[in-house]
Amino acid sequence: MKAALHPISPEQHTLISQAQRSRLREDLDRLDTQRAMVAAIKAGVRQQALAEALGVSQGAVSQRLKIARDASAVPDGFAGASPREIAQRYALGQLDQTTLVRQLTAWPYPPRDDESGDHPWEEVAEAVDRGWITHDEYEQVLLGRGLPLTSAG
């Protein structure tokens, strides 16, 4: 997390942390809903039936499905579609530490061809910076991948 421009009290820090966790839950809930809607449609559920079940219009379902088609699928054996999502789910208590480390270690990171910074491994470093995982967990992933211990960010 970036340093605050103005000092904040412990109570304010707690409130900010609560807001951050709520936002994270909201983002992951949206992804889960999108994936469930796409899966329902692929399984043969009609949009109208899905709309009725969700308490929204068929047009709303159609709109959400257009957006949902851009949601990345979760690879088999993983809890998220990216290292970032796996770390976010861990931060919310949806994964235990063993699962986090195993999945981030096993993630199929592509070779790093450039220095653009747009690489899945950067998501692991971001997870440390944002406090979703600890430095110790980061180091466990590095060691599990046979990489030298370095700073995350």
Side-chain angles (χ1 to χ4, degrees):
M1 183 162 39
K2 296 187 189 227
L5 296 176
H6 305 287
I8 60 173
S9 71
E11 178 185 2
Q12 290 169 325
H13 177 75
T14 298
L15 294 170
I16 290 169
S17 293
Q18 288 173 347
Q20 288 172 323
R21 289 180 60 80
S22 293
R23 174 63 193 269
L24 196 53
R25 267 193 307 276
E26 180 182 312
D27 290 347
L28 291 176
D29 285 347
R30 180 184 40 77
L31 272 175
D32 291 343
T33 300
Q34 289 174 346
R35 289 178 181 138
M37 290 175 67
V38 169
I41 295 299
K42 284 182 179 179
V45 175
R46 290 183 10 261
Q47 283 189 19
Q48 186 59 42
L50 187 56
E52 289 170 12
L54 297 176
V56 297
S57 71
Q58 187 275 326
V61 167
S62 180
Q63 276 186 315
R64 291 179 188 183
L65 286 170
K66 285 179 188 171
I67 294 167
R69 294 195 201 313
D70 293 335
S72 298
V74 177
D76 288 341
F78 291 93
S82 67
R84 175 183 290 114
E85 184 179 346
I86 293 167
Q88 290 171 329
R89 291 189 184 283
Y90 173 73
L92 290 176
Q94 296 177 6
L95 304 175
D96 62 31
Q97 185 183 50
T98 301
T99 302
L100 167 81
V101 172
R102 183 175 38 79
Q103 290 190 11
L104 291 181
T105 300
W107 188 263
Y109 301 95
R112 183 168 229 148
D113 295 335
D114 59 41
E115 296 300 318
S116 68
D118 189 22
H119 188 272
W121 184 254
E122 295 301 320
E123 296 177 10
V124 181
E126 174 195 10
V128 175
D129 292 342
R130 291 184 177 265
W132 299 335
I133 68 172
T134 66
H135 271 293
D136 287 344
E137 291 156 345
Y138 178 81
E139 288 181 351
Q140 288 178 48
V141 174
L142 285 173
L143 290 171
R145 293 191 60 80
L147 298 171
L149 298 180
T150 61
S151 69

